[in-house]
Amino acid sequence: MENCCVQELAAGTVGAPDVPSRYIVRGHQDQQLATTVVAPVPVINLGLLSKQDGGAADEAAKLRSAIDSWGLFLISNHGVDVAVMDSMMAATREFFRQPLEEKQRQSNLIGDDQYEGYGNYEGYGNDQVSSPDQTLDWTDRLYLKVEPEDERRIALWPTHPESFRDVLHEFTKKCGAVKDDLLRAMAKLLELDDDDYFVDQLVVKPLTNVRCGYYPVCPRPELVFGLTPHSDGTIVTILMVDDSVGGLQVLRDGVWWDVPIVPHTLLMILGDQMEIMTNGIFKSPVHRVMTNTKKERLSVVLDYSVDSEREIEPSAQLANEKRPALYRKVQVKDYIVEHYNHFSQGKEVVMGKLKI
Ligand SMILES: O=C(O)CCC(=O)C(=O)O
Ligand SMILES: [Fe+2]
């Protein structure tokens, strides 16, 4: 029970302002110093970006600048209906509102199937514990594979609220199209011969996971992380964050910036697989989530990854005599395991190990 679940733990801390030592972060004195400055992250109008006229060029320039400066950006006019977004958020909220026993029907502690070396990650719960001295994050999550569709473990998909499964299916389908449009726009920015270069990496067998995250209020936000600093191990990640509670921060030039909230936009974060494939021209930003004493926070996160059996390496067009390959070829499976081990030990980046 100890690592399941923070929501219960937080409810128990009311009037007793302490957090268990397993959640207390050591060696991160900068925690209280988090800046309150909001990062001026651009909002990319996807409708404009996808047009074949002058407006698209301006939007593409904005996208390039966002990627170079932040490694993440907001997306408006993305084609995911407001109703679908709101339903997805409401279904997530409703799921977490249930009593613990109900949520534990989807527990990630049930079953013994192992996922490529880092355990059975699907289901509901707190962090998977891989070592006794691991610092745990102040968050619970419901983690599900959504693609390939025939690998969905539907028994772990909530039936409360009743709409959950349909809404998740719809939301992920729509976000998938957004992801493809942006991957094409990125290939164009890099002047790759094939606009579908990145999209094709996901065609044979895509790997898409969703993480519905719940960050309870915390009596001592300065001592814990909602989510440990990390870069995403994905090609790209799409997030729908709580539109009333902040907490997501991005590291730039040694300073933590708040990621802005613009209701009904989506947030895209570039992942390590993108950094490898672009030979470091696009970089995956380090980010984290901070908690607060006042209000719970929710997020719905879609991870897009190349199939774990495949290998990735810098694109031949981006690694050449002028710009030698910076990263080695790596099997995605090996990378994900390494990435997870780093993350659970509170180490921020693993990319250095792939440097040539
Ligand atoms: O909850 C959030 O806003 C961020 C989550 C995140 O960074 C992740 O799941 O990789
Ligand atoms: Fe992340």
Side-chain angles (χ1 to χ4, degrees), residues 211 215 227 230 232 239 241 248 269 287 289 297 299 301:
R211 218 164 25 258
Y215 302 87
L227 201 59
H230 65 282
D232 292 344
L239 298 88
V241 299
L248 179 60
I269 303 182
H287 53 284
V289 177
R297 175 178 183 275
S299 64
V301 179

Side-chain angles (χ1 to χ4, degrees), residues 52-242:
Q52 309 290 342
D53 60 23
D58 290 349
E59 220 51 29
K62 211 154 97 180
L63 176 64
R64 180 67 198 238
S65 141
I67 290 174
D68 290 346
S69 311
W70 300 102
L72 53 81
F73 50 88
L74 298 167
I75 313 160
S76 67
N77 198 8
H78 43 59
V80 186
D81 289 345
V82 165
V84 173
M85 295 180 83
D86 287 349
S87 304
M88 185 68 236
M89 203 42 117
T92 301
R93 199 175 294 279
E94 197 54 41
F95 171 78
F96 282 105
R97 199 173 275 159
Q98 296 178 99
L100 181 63
E101 307 77 68
E102 292 298 320
K103 286 177 291 205
Q104 282 184 330
R105 289 170 192 265
Q106 279 85 38
S107 171
N108 61 10
L109 302 176
I110 297 173
D112 56 5
D113 52 329
Q114 296 286 303
Y115 178 72
E116 279 130 20
Y118 71 95
N120 166 30
Y121 73 100
E122 284 193 79
Y124 162 75
N126 183 219
D127 295 335
Q128 299 280 348
V129 178
S130 54
S131 79
D133 54 357
Q134 178 182 340
T135 304
L136 301 180
D137 286 331
W138 197 260
T139 183
D140 295 330
R141 50 180 85 87
L142 173 69
Y143 205 141
L144 301 168
K145 185 190 278 195
V146 288
E147 282 184 292
E149 265 189 62
D150 61 0
E151 290 181 18
R152 290 179 181 180
R153 292 176 61 194
I154 210 73
L156 291 175
W157 289 42
T159 50
H160 181 88
E162 224 173 278
S163 59
F164 194 100
R165 293 178 176 183
D166 287 346
V167 169
L168 177 57
H169 177 79
E170 188 64 16
F171 178 72
T172 52
K173 205 172 71 190
K174 291 287 166 57
C175 287
V178 175
K179 173 256 308 168
D180 286 344
D181 284 353
L182 282 155
L183 287 179
R184 283 193 193 98
M186 289 180 206
K188 276 201 184 113
L189 287 179
L190 293 164
E191 297 177 357
L192 297 182
D193 290 341
D194 183 1
D195 285 354
D196 280 340
Y197 182 80
F198 299 120
V199 173
D200 283 352
Q201 307 283 332
L202 303 174
V203 161
V204 184
K205 192 175 169 203
L207 175 58
T208 309
N209 293 313
V210 68
R211 218 164 25 258
C212 300
Y214 180 92
Y215 302 87
V217 292
C218 180
R220 303 291 302 276
E222 73 283 10
L223 298 182
V224 308
F225 284 131
L227 201 59
T228 300
H230 65 282
S231 58
D232 292 344
T234 56
I235 289 200
V236 289
T237 310
I238 289 186
L239 298 88
M240 174 170 64
V241 299
D242 205 308

